[in-house]
Amino acid sequence: MAKTASWMKKGWVAVAAVALAAGCETSTLDDEGTLTLDQLNGLASTNVAVTVTTTPTTETETTSTGTTTTPTTETTPTGTTTTTGTGTTTTTSLWPAEITGTVKFLGSDVSSWPVTASLNASVSGGRVNLPYSKAKVWPASDGMNANPWVFVNLNGQWYAATWEYLRYGQTMKDMRGKSWGGHIKVAPLSSWEPRAGERIGLMVSGLARGGLSNVRERSNVCMVTWN
């Protein structure tokens, strides 16, 4: 019996030594249940490395007589790479069938941001409903967590621009009696106002305006009829 007790004592000393070498707390060992000596040695030798990669972005805005003037980027529905004054942008995104040809982004080009949010937009009497699935998922910055976008066909050319901010959880903007162009503030849409029956596209993205940022993600584009 004395020999057995001595052997058990030596065994627990060995277990404790391995646990300390692995940097484990005793509660961790308790949660593991029954462990063999080989398993404990495995814990001591395990080394997990995590690599995080970030991509810097640059945004430039200049103002003149109250109108924001920014370089535009063109993207096409087929994912063509287009070079403009601000560099080269590649997109693999497909727009709705109604949006043909190139799309000029006024300000930040978010076309290559992955579509992670589902949007089913609608308009009614000047109210713009933007129920999107990440309204309470994307983190907020200064209380804001998204920008709504509008896609407009002006003289045969499609333009995309932000026109407001969305607070955390917010999914509706009331544009009754308000100027769309005055909210967009970027030519040539700085003087645009939707007409009854006009088809426009609506989208939501992570923050991409005014120097605020949170996530580089966006929703699908919904085509709606203004009324």
Side-chain angles (χ1 to χ4, degrees), residues 50-194:
V50 178
T51 302
V52 178
T53 303
T54 60
T55 302
T57 60
T58 302
E59 179 176 311
T60 303
E61 294 187 6
T62 57
T63 60
S64 176
T65 65
T67 299
T68 300
T69 303
T70 59
T72 62
T73 303
E74 295 184 4
T75 62
T76 66
T78 56
T80 302
T81 299
T82 305
T83 303
T84 67
T86 58
T88 301
T89 298
T90 302
T91 175
T92 57
S93 302
L94 295 177
W95 309 121
E98 292 181 56
I99 300 179
T100 59
T102 60
V103 177
K104 290 188 176 181
F105 278 75
L106 307 180
S108 299
D109 182 351
V110 303
S111 59
S112 63
W113 291 11
V115 178
T116 63
S118 175
L119 171 68
N120 186 20
S122 63
V123 295
S124 177
R127 294 183 178 88
V128 184
N129 299 301
L130 300 161
Y132 68 105
S133 59
K134 295 298 183 75
K136 293 184 178 180
V137 176
W138 290 342
S141 176
D142 286 347
M144 310 297 175
N145 74 330
N147 285 123
W149 291 74
V150 62
F151 288 68
V152 178
N153 189 328
L154 195 62
N155 300 321
Q157 173 64 61
W158 283 97
Y159 296 91
T162 61
W163 50 277
E164 254 291 2
Y165 291 92
L166 293 172
R167 299 186 304 276
Y168 183 84
Q170 183 180 17
T171 59
M172 193 276 286
K173 299 300 293 188
D174 190 347
M175 292 299 289
R176 292 177 299 175
K178 298 177 182 178
S179 167
W180 278 78
H183 279 68
I184 295 172
K185 300 179 180 179
V186 184
L189 296 187
S190 53
S191 58
W192 171 79
E193 300 297 334

